[in-house]
Amino acid sequence: MIRDNLHRIQQDLSGTAARLVAVTKTHPVERLREAYEAGARLFGENRVQEMAAKQSELPADVQWHLIGHLQTNKVKYIAAFVHTIQSIDSLKLLLEVERQAARHNRVIEGLLQFHIAAEETKTGLSLPEAEEMLQSAEFRGLQHVRLTGVMGIATNTPDEDQLRREFRQLRGYFDKLKALYFPQDEAFREISMGMSSDYPLALREGSTLIRVGSAIFGSR
Ligand SMILES: *Cc1c(COP(=O)(O)O)cnc(C)c1O
């Protein structure tokens, strides 16, 4: 069943340049192995301890994406292996990722998480906050973190007009930051948006990374 679900989603992705992050939070390692054997390579988890435990049990070519809020004091638990932290929401966090990645002699990729949803509870940066970060001297000194794009979580709603507006807003943030701060940087190219219920719409609005859990693994 995992295989069929992955296959269906891969078909939705064909003809786009977007890739799938299989969101595996709360699911046991056996189900991750099943997804791996069916071809999934990018896995998303929202908790540090859970991700570290699973990482040690899966093949080394899995790309681990952290998709949940990350406290600075926990970066050290994933710095040795995490591929992308999709939830960068402060300069303080970026500086700690820099410090921990340097200890492991690695470069960790990061996406700036923006607040695009109507719900107050969904965290993330505003555009002015992100720009302040990108203009700071500290940001320019980073050598072990590479920002590769933006991420956002849309409102949990069936209202397609609202979802489209939110995805377009995130796309607009990406375009603006790309033009102003990363014009020559080919690595800055990701727009992470779209989940089980709304990824087809996100793909139409230019998503390059969809984060899909329940449509692959069933409800949590
Ligand atoms: C859980 C989660 C997802 C996946 O949600 P589904 O509705 O199960 O596809 C995507 N993004 C984030 C940030 C999540 O926490």
Side-chain angles (χ1 to χ4, degrees):
M1 189 175 109
I2 287 178
R3 180 176 292 273
D4 295 342
N5 293 340
L6 280 170
H7 188 70
R8 203 183 52 248
I9 295 165
Q10 288 301 348
Q11 277 180 338
D12 291 339
L13 289 173
S14 70
T16 78
R19 293 171 300 150
L20 168 69
V21 178
V23 175
T24 53
K25 65 192 186 200
T26 75
H27 297 293
V29 160
E30 304 80 72
R31 313 211 76 201
L32 276 66
R33 283 208 192 93
E34 225 180 302
Y36 181 91
E37 277 154 23
R41 289 297 178 274
L42 282 58
F43 286 9
E45 287 279 338
N46 66 342
R47 300 177 60 170
V48 162
Q49 284 90 341
E50 189 176 340
M51 185 194 251
K54 288 171 172 174
Q55 185 270 339
S56 64
E57 305 220 27
L58 278 145
D61 64 342
V62 170
Q63 268 190 26
W64 293 93
H65 287 233
L66 191 80
I67 59 171
H69 178 68
L70 177 58
Q71 290 172 276
T72 49
N73 62 353
K74 294 195 174 166
V75 177
K76 57 179 178 284
Y77 300 118
I78 56 171
F81 68 87
V82 69
H83 182 277
T84 300
I85 296 170
Q86 294 208 4
S87 43
I88 300 287
D89 59 1
S90 70
L91 182 59
K92 182 167 161 242
L93 178 57
L94 264 186
L95 297 176
E96 177 62 9
V97 176
E98 166 73 18
R99 206 167 76 86
Q100 296 297 336
R103 286 183 55 216
H104 294 279
N105 214 356
R106 325 182 43 229
V107 175
I108 295 175
E109 298 192 357
L111 303 181
L112 294 174
Q113 181 175 355
F114 283 95
H115 181 94
I116 55 169
E119 296 110 319
E120 277 305 321
T121 50
K122 294 195 171 150
T123 54
L125 296 158
S126 65
L127 189 60
E129 286 168 343
E131 290 205 72
E132 189 184 325
M133 234 164 87
L134 296 173
Q135 287 166 9
S136 68
E138 287 124 308
F139 173 74
R140 285 194 290 268
L142 301 181
Q143 297 186 330
H144 298 86
V145 196
R146 179 184 302 130
L147 286 187
T148 54
V150 302
M151 180 272 227
I153 306 172
T155 303
N156 184 9
T157 174
D159 181 345
E160 295 212 347
D161 289 334
Q162 181 173 357
L163 290 167
R164 198 174 292 112
R165 269 198 308 279
E166 293 176 0
F167 291 144
R168 283 186 186 168
Q169 184 178 26
L170 186 62
R171 168 88 196 250
Y173 291 165
F174 171 84
D175 289 342
K176 177 157 193 204
L177 296 180
K178 176 80 185 170
L180 287 177
Y181 302 98
F182 303 93
Q184 316 287 1
D185 183 352
E186 290 191 2
F188 192 87
R189 62 192 176 98
E190 306 290 2
I191 305 174
S192 172
M193 58 187 188
M195 310 181 11
S196 292
S197 58
D198 57 21
Y199 77 81
L201 195 56
L203 287 171
R204 289 201 287 278
E205 298 304 327
S207 174
T208 69
L209 284 173
I210 58 171
R211 309 179 306 267
V212 179
S214 47
I216 302 170
F217 298 101
S219 58
R220 289 180 291 272

